[in-house]
């Protein structure tokens, strides 16, 4: 019995009857020889962690576009916070922590530059629409390394279904979905307070009384509630009281931060920039890297341009806009006049 097989046996002995066992995965799109050390879900986690798409998340907006300061969340730190919360819940419920972590680390790989602002732009420009969860699946299925990561069905299912539109088939996927909410609601409040967009007294008192006054208290309340409500149950959920308070806090954030606040002051500029870049590459596909030209030839120029722009970081999109739309200085020679 090798290391992987011992881990698989351990899962059978200690995990909940509702857990997704590594040895019972529905498998990969392209069959592969098993690893002697890692389970299939551990391999998926490692593939995501070592991908270029994952590394690019560190330069993609969470809420604040190009913030001046080292302590604001990026799409990468958001992902890591989701993974931490999801692992905590999975472990407490005796579900598969490796599967949970893999889904969490991969759930936002398809996010655009400038956060949901970029997603909205591409959704308007693409005839078929654009959703970041679908793009995340496209990244792991075909774009990363030019061939995809060939992940298991369970990880792919968790990625495509992590938003409010989806319904994950595994409890591990359901954990990531609720952990995404817990993470971004709370860390976006923290960032908004740091930026002065919100003041502590602005937070709705009736909701804070339920969830907690401080950042760590609110997260702790939500996590413990999920664990207590979901233990030895076939679904992941919050109690009605905490769920309603969480939804109320999310609605408050949309009203005070996500829409029309000073935190979003640069949104219109980002929208104009991405639209111009999209139109430029539609007319000049040869300016894109070869792998995206290949997609343009096989699936249409619009699809190739969308994949290229969706994968950009904030800083790379700004650099490309400067390259194609901003005048450069005239080079001076040193000839005496």
């Amino acid at each position: 019995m090798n290391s992987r097989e011992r881990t698989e046996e351990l899962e059978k002995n200690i995990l909940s009857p509702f857990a997704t066992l590594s040895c019972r995965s529905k498998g990969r799109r392209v069959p592969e020889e098993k690893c002697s050390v890692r389970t299939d879900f551990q391999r998926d986690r490692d593939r995501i962690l070592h991908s270029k798409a994952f590394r690019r998340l560190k330069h993609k907006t969470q809420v604040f576009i190009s913030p001046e300061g080292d302590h604001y969340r990026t799409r990468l730190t958001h992902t890591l916070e989701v993974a931490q919360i999801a692992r905590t819940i999975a472990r407490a419920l005796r579900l598969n922590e490796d599967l949970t972590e893999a889904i969490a680390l991969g759930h936002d790989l398809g996010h655009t530059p400038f956060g949901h602002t970029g997603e909205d732009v591409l959704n308007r420009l693409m005839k078929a629409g654009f959703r970041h969860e679908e793009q995340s699946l496209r990244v792991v299925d075909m774009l990363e390394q030019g061939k995809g990561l060939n992940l298991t069905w369970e990880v792919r299912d968790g990625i495509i279904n992590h938003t409010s539109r989806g319904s994950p088939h595994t409890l591990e996927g359901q954990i990531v979905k609720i952990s995404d909410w817990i993470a971004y609601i709370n860390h976006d409040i923290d960032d908004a307070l740091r930026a002065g967009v919100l003041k502590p007294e602005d937070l709705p008192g009736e909701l804070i009384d339920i969830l907690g006054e401080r950042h760590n208290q609110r997260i702790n309340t939500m996590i413990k509630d999920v664990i207590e409500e979901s233990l030895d149950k076939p679904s992941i959920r919050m109690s009605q009281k905490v769920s309603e308070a969480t939804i109320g806090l999310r609605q408050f954030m949309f009203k005070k931060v996500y829409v029309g606040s000073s935190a979003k002051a640069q949104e219109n500029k980002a929208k104009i920039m991405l639209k111009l870049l999209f139109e430029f590459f539609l007319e000049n596909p040869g300016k894109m890297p070869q792998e995206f030209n290949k997609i343009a030839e096989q699936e249409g120029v619009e699809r190739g341009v969308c994949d290229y722009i969706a994968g950009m970081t904030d800083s790379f999109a700004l650099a490309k806009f400067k390259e194609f739309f901003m005048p450069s200085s005239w080079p001076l020679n040193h000839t005496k006049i």
Side-chain angles (χ1 to χ4, degrees), residues 2-53:
N2 59 33
S3 296
R4 171 183 53 79
E5 291 167 336
R6 285 195 294 272
T7 301
E8 290 173 344
E9 283 300 309
L10 191 62
E11 288 181 355
K12 292 177 184 177
N13 293 328
I14 68 172
L15 293 186
S16 163
F18 298 108
T20 305
L21 300 181
S22 303
C23 65
R24 295 178 187 166
S25 168
K26 294 184 179 181
R28 306 181 185 279
R29 301 173 83 191
V30 180
E32 296 180 10
E33 183 179 350
K34 296 280 188 180
C35 176
S36 63
V37 176
R38 297 167 298 167
T39 67
D40 285 348
F41 299 148
Q42 289 173 339
R43 292 181 84 185
D44 285 0
R45 175 202 60 203
D46 295 348
R47 290 178 183 185
I48 292 168
L49 191 63
H50 289 280
S51 69
K52 291 186 294 183

Side-chain angles (χ1 to χ4, degrees), residues 218-231:
R218 291 189 290 272
I219 292 179
N220 192 54
T221 297
M222 293 177 186
I223 290 175
K224 289 176 67 176
D225 187 73
V226 170
I227 292 169
E228 290 168 2
E229 290 293 314
S230 307
L231 186 63

Side-chain angles (χ1 to χ4, degrees), residues 230-298:
S230 307
L231 186 63
D232 296 326
K233 303 277 180 52
S235 63
I236 305 300
R237 61 191 182 189
M238 285 180 171
S239 66
Q240 183 175 349
K241 180 180 180 180
V242 173
S243 176
E244 289 177 353
T246 301
I247 293 170
L249 203 54
R250 181 175 182 267
Q251 292 171 341
F252 166 81
M253 288 297 289
F254 267 95
K255 183 178 180 180
K256 296 294 185 179
V257 178
Y258 298 147
V259 179
S261 74
S262 59
K264 315 300 282 182
Q266 301 299 313
E267 270 193 356
N268 285 336
K269 294 178 184 178
K271 289 178 180 178
I272 293 169
M273 183 181 70
L274 292 179
K275 182 175 184 293
L276 289 173
L277 282 174
F278 191 93
E279 292 169 349
F280 175 84
F281 288 119
L282 279 181
E283 296 176 3
N284 302 277
K287 296 289 186 180
M288 296 191 299
Q290 181 57 39
E291 61 264 34
F292 296 101
N293 269 302
K294 185 176 180 181
I295 294 171
E297 292 171 0
Q298 295 174 343

Side-chain angles (χ1 to χ4, degrees), residues 58-248:
K58 69 179 178 179
H59 294 302
K60 292 193 177 190
T61 289
Q62 174 58 26
V63 172
F64 293 86
I65 294 177
S66 299
E68 292 183 3
D70 297 328
H71 299 143
Y72 293 97
R73 271 73 172 189
T74 65
R75 189 61 58 175
L76 177 61
T77 55
H78 160 73
T79 295
L80 295 176
E81 291 186 37
V82 172
Q84 178 271 314
I85 291 169
R87 288 199 313 268
T88 297
I89 295 172
R91 186 177 299 176
L93 296 178
R94 293 187 299 117
L95 298 176
N96 196 310
E97 193 174 342
D98 294 323
L99 171 58
T100 305
E101 185 177 24
I103 296 169
L105 293 177
H107 81 282
D108 269 356
L109 290 180
H111 237 302
T112 60
F114 309 113
H116 288 285
T117 298
E119 182 174 15
D120 291 343
V121 171
L122 291 181
N123 187 46
R124 289 199 305 271
L125 293 172
M126 290 290 290
K127 295 183 181 68
F130 179 92
R131 292 177 173 175
H132 78 270
E133 67 271 27
E134 295 173 354
Q135 190 69 14
S136 294
L137 188 63
R138 186 170 170 85
V139 167
V140 300
D141 278 355
M142 65 167 290
L143 296 180
E144 183 66 29
Q145 301 176 10
K147 59 181 180 179
L149 299 176
N150 197 30
L151 304 182
T152 57
W153 181 90
E154 292 78 6
V155 174
R156 296 174 62 252
D157 172 76
I159 289 173
I160 189 65
N161 287 309
H162 80 269
T163 68
S164 57
R165 292 180 285 265
S167 299
H169 290 80
T170 66
L171 295 195
E172 291 81 1
Q174 292 177 32
I175 287 175
V176 172
K177 180 175 180 176
I178 205 166
S179 297
D180 190 26
W181 271 50
I182 294 173
Y184 80 70
I185 290 170
N186 285 291
H187 66 51
D188 290 352
I189 290 174
D190 191 44
D191 280 354
L193 291 170
R194 178 176 292 107
V197 176
L198 291 178
K199 297 177 182 178
E201 56 267 27
D202 293 333
L203 299 176
E206 69 279 9
L207 304 181
I208 295 307
D209 289 342
I210 296 171
L211 300 173
E213 184 176 342
R214 297 195 304 273
H215 176 74
N216 63 326
Q217 291 175 332
R218 291 189 290 272
I219 292 179
N220 192 54
T221 297
M222 293 177 186
I223 290 175
K224 289 176 67 176
D225 187 73
V226 170
I227 292 169
E228 290 168 2
E229 290 293 314
S230 307
L231 186 63
D232 296 326
K233 303 277 180 52
S235 63
I236 305 300
R237 61 191 182 189
M238 285 180 171
S239 66
Q240 183 175 349
K241 180 180 180 180
V242 173
S243 176
E244 289 177 353
T246 301
I247 293 170

